Amino acid sequence: MHTLTVNYFAGIAQAAGVESERIECEQSAPEISAVINALTERHDADFARRLRVCALVANGKALNATDRLPLPAHLDVLPPFAGG
């Protein structure tokens, strides 16, 4: 098993009820879509709704559903924000 540390910020942290959590993955480089599925299974519908609009970032790079993330890693989940 391979470990992924997920860090949540602002509203998505509130929806998750934690600022970070670790998940175990069977693959050493899972697709982000599989990570998203694993996270939504751990939390409620409000979390899943919020997660759909969040940016996922690892090593300073924004990720999309088809990207693979080599583990171990830290994944930052950032909700939309406004500002200038």
Side-chain angles (χ1 to χ4, degrees), residues 2-68:
H2 306 275
T3 303
L4 172 62
T5 301
V6 182
N7 301 307
Y8 301 111
F9 296 88
I12 193 68
Q14 185 177 23
V18 295
E19 291 184 0
S20 69
E21 65 181 321
R22 289 184 177 186
I23 62 172
E24 297 296 324
C25 301
E26 290 182 18
Q27 296 180 341
S28 62
E31 250 186 29
I32 292 300
S33 61
V35 173
I36 291 169
N37 289 340
L39 294 174
T40 57
E41 288 176 4
R42 292 176 153 225
H43 299 282
D44 64 14
D46 179 54
F47 173 88
R49 180 184 58 79
R50 290 178 188 225
L51 183 61
R52 284 194 294 267
V53 297
C54 287
L56 304 176
V57 178
N59 300 321
K61 178 184 174 208
L63 304 171
N64 64 50
T66 59
D67 287 331
R68 291 196 172 273

